[in-house]
Amino acid sequence: MFLVTALGFVGTILFVLLLALLTRNTSQLSRVSGIESVEYLYNLSQTRSSDNLATIDLGRRWPAITLSHHLTSGRMIVVDVYNPQLMPSKSLLRARRQHYPAALSDPRLTWYDSNLDLLPLPDRSVSAVFLYHVLSEISEKGDQKALLEEIFRILEPNGRLLVAEFSNNLVNRLQSGLGVTHTKPIDYWHALLKETGFEFQRTQTLHGAIL
């Protein structure tokens, strides 16, 4: 995965491109690597335990639950924008079948279902937004852009967008073979995020891989 931090008119992006180092094939290893990545995103977000944060989710739930453990009086607003017509991945459908009933009663977590182009949050209402493997699951660029425009709208001035994605590069192709060929190169994500008003502050890889 890679990490990118970017500054925008209202926000900062920390973009994390996660290397497909450990696996895309073994769910247990993938989860361990994923938790590490989500924790890394939080550490880079420079948010406080009292902040109001948002996670854009596709039904995986565990990234938001992991992030919420850092909150005391703050809230994590989780917006599930899953749409099977826009996100046809079979692996995503399997991930949505896992349940975390205890999290539904956690007062730090608020859950919404929503369209990706109309997030149920006021303008400038959260200090950071987390995207963990969301953009790459959306098949059309126009829909990716619509979601980013909504995130731009709900971020407070000087808020941060933190993104984790696999990157289509030589390292990941060697590690994952054909499984990574449908992902986008880092330049694609840079261009898309800049189109929606964000200015990059930082790009970083995990595990020292070169992109």
Side-chain angles (χ1 to χ4, degrees), residues 12 24 56 64 70 76 84 87 89 122 140 167 180 211:
T12 299
R24 276 194 156 208
I56 308 303
H70 295 278
M76 174 62 72
M87 307 152 198
S89 167
E140 298 296 328
S167 176
V180 79
L211 293 168

Side-chain angles (χ1 to χ4, degrees), residues 1-2 6 18 35 39-40 64 104 108 118 122 132 137 148 153 159-160 165 168 172 177-178 185 189 200 203:
M1 294 184 190
F2 69 80
L18 300 172
I35 290 174
E39 291 286 1
Y40 199 70
L104 299 179
R108 296 170 297 185
L118 189 62
Y132 180 81
E137 296 286 2
L148 289 170
R153 177 184 66 79
R160 288 192 166 197
E165 286 293 347
N168 187 348
N172 281 350
L178 295 176
W189 301 118
F200 284 93
T203 302

Side-chain angles (χ1 to χ4, degrees), residues 7-46:
L7 293 171
F9 176 72
V10 299
T12 299
I13 302 172
L14 178 58
F15 201 98
V16 180
L17 253 170
L18 300 172
L19 289 173
L21 274 182
L22 289 183
T23 179
R24 276 194 156 208
N25 305 315
T26 306
S27 59
Q28 184 177 2
L29 286 177
S30 180
R31 174 67 57 80
V32 171
S33 179
I35 290 174
E36 176 191 0
S37 304
V38 169
E39 291 286 1
Y40 199 70
L41 278 180
Y42 181 82
N43 291 335
L44 290 169
S45 72
Q46 298 180 8

Side-chain angles (χ1 to χ4, degrees), residues 49-97:
S49 61
S50 58
D51 283 349
N52 289 330
L53 312 175
T55 296
I56 308 303
D57 195 35
L58 299 177
R60 295 185 178 99
R61 294 191 175 182
W62 67 263
I65 295 168
T66 300
L67 290 164
S68 71
H69 293 161
H70 295 278
L71 299 177
T72 53
S73 59
R75 287 194 309 151
M76 174 62 72
I77 302 164
V78 190
V79 184
D80 187 346
V81 297
Y82 176 72
N83 181 322
Q85 280 71 48
L86 304 179
M87 307 152 198
S89 167
K90 292 182 179 179
S91 62
L92 178 58
L93 185 60
R94 289 193 296 271
R96 288 181 58 83
R97 293 173 181 157

Side-chain angles (χ1 to χ4, degrees), residues 12 126 155:
T12 299
V126 294
L155 272 173

Side-chain angles (χ1 to χ4, degrees), residues 130-168:
F130 296 85
L131 288 176
Y132 180 81
H133 294 306
V134 171
L135 291 174
S136 59
E137 296 286 2
I138 301 170
S139 56
E140 298 296 328
K141 180 179 179 181
D143 294 319
Q144 294 170 345
K145 188 174 180 181
L147 175 58
L148 289 170
E149 288 171 346
E150 274 293 278
I151 291 171
F152 192 94
R153 177 184 66 79
I154 67 173
L155 272 173
E156 296 174 353
N158 300 315
R160 288 192 166 197
L161 170 60
L162 300 104
V163 184
E165 286 293 347
F166 284 99
S167 176
N168 187 348

